[in-house]
């Protein structure tokens, strides 16, 4: 089978997968401290870690690059995540960018989270193209919660399905390969490292 036939078959597989059941995945960590006051003090740090996504790139064992952009597509280096901000994610060994837009934020004394979905590249004319290997309907919720002496953290992925078809803008083969292949193992490593970091099991 030649390369053209392989690409054709992958595209046909991607079309077949469109509309098929999607996957939900959850990764989590928790850390119990010696008393409630210590946990409350450490939760302030957890909230700060959560919303400063630029610093995620330096987490040991987390090798993707994360960059924050504002609602106009301008770099917001060192800033805090806000609703309608964008995050650029570059995975190791893959020559493509993946973008998400922040659709919701919550920041309370006992709970903090933000939700993001695959989006266009806000820095250029995208023509409706979703620059991510997951389809537009997918969501990722990044959350930390304080309960008594415990801090818990989650990455909750919902509706994770390959971005194929018109919105893929020619990336459907790459998106299918990533979402149904190499991403699965890397996803567990990446998000578990992140949740460990958010509860201070990893600095």
């Amino acid at each position: 089978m030649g390369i053209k036939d392989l690409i054709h078959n992958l595209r046909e597989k991607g079309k077949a997968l469109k509309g098929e059941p999607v996957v939900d995945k959850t990764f989590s960590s928790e850390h119990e401290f010696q008393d409630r006051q210590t946990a409350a003090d450490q939760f302030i740090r957890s909230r700060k870690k959560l919303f400063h996504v630029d610093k995620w790139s330096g987490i040991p064992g987390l090798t993707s690059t994360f960059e924050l952009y504002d609602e106009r597509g301008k770099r917001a280096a060192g800033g805090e995540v806000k609703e309608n901000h964008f995050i650029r994610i570059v995975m190791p060994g893959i020559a493509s960018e993946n973008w998400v837009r922040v659709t919701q934020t919550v920041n309370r004394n006992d709970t903090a989270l933000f939700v993001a979905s695959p989006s266009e590249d806000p820095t250029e004319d995208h023509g409706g193209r979703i620059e991510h290997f997951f389809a537009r309907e997918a969501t990722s919720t990044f959350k930390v919660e304080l309960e008594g002496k415990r801090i818990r953290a989650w990455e909750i992925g919902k509706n994770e399905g390959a971005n194929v078809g018109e919105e893929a803008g020619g990336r459907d083969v790459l998106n299918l390969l990533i979402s149904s292949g190499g991403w699965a193992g890397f996803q567990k490593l990446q998000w578990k490292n992140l949740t460990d970091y958010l509860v201070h099991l990893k600095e």
Side-chain angles (χ1 to χ4, degrees):
M1 178 184 292
I3 186 66
K4 289 184 178 179
D5 291 331
L6 177 62
I7 291 173
H8 175 75
N9 287 345
L10 284 169
R11 283 189 169 137
E12 290 304 309
K13 182 180 178 183
K15 290 176 184 176
L17 286 174
K18 196 71 171 177
E20 288 293 311
V22 293
V23 176
D24 296 342
K25 291 183 179 178
T26 299
F27 302 92
S28 64
S29 301
E30 74 170 55
H31 190 170
E32 182 172 353
F33 294 87
Q34 60 186 9
D35 53 57
R36 294 171 65 93
Q37 186 58 53
T38 300
D41 292 343
Q42 291 301 312
F43 189 67
I44 295 172
R45 293 180 60 222
S46 292
R47 289 159 57 196
K48 186 173 182 179
K49 284 182 173 182
L50 176 72
F51 290 116
H52 284 84
V53 299
D54 277 356
K55 294 187 177 180
W56 292 5
S57 304
I59 300 172
L62 188 68
T63 51
S64 288
T65 299
F66 295 84
E67 295 177 351
L68 184 65
Y69 289 73
D70 67 19
E71 63 275 9
R72 298 167 297 172
K74 301 297 183 183
R75 187 77 168 93
E80 287 195 2
V81 166
K82 293 182 174 60
E83 194 168 323
N84 293 318
H85 277 186
F86 294 86
I87 302 170
R88 175 180 176 262
I89 306 164
V90 181
M91 295 168 59
I94 299 175
S96 67
E97 300 176 354
N98 296 282
W99 288 86
V100 296
R101 184 173 70 87
V102 177
T103 59
Q104 180 186 5
T105 62
V106 172
N107 193 359
R108 299 196 295 260
N109 288 336
D110 60 353
T111 304
L113 65 84
F114 70 87
V115 181
S117 290
S119 74
E120 71 279 2
D121 177 350
T123 67
E124 62 179 35
D125 182 11
H126 51 81
R129 183 175 66 252
I130 296 299
E131 292 288 347
H132 199 285
F133 55 87
F134 284 148
R136 183 191 298 272
E137 295 77 15
T139 62
S140 290
T141 299
F142 302 92
K143 179 180 179 180
V144 291
E145 184 177 84
L146 173 66
E147 184 178 339
K149 299 189 294 182
R150 291 184 177 89
I151 298 175
R152 296 186 174 96
W154 293 268
E155 190 282 329
I156 304 166
K158 296 284 189 182
N159 302 318
E160 293 184 347
N163 177 21
V164 295
E166 292 182 6
E167 287 193 338
R171 274 185 46 163
D172 45 351
V173 172
L174 176 63
N175 292 342
L176 184 62
L177 287 171
I178 298 172
S179 62
S180 64
W183 171 243
F186 180 69
Q187 184 182 32
K188 181 177 181 180
L189 174 65
Q190 174 164 277
W191 296 143
K192 190 63 172 67
N193 279 335
L194 175 63
T195 57
D196 282 354
Y197 166 76
L198 293 174
V199 300
H200 319 306
L201 294 172
K202 179 173 294 190
E203 296 295 342

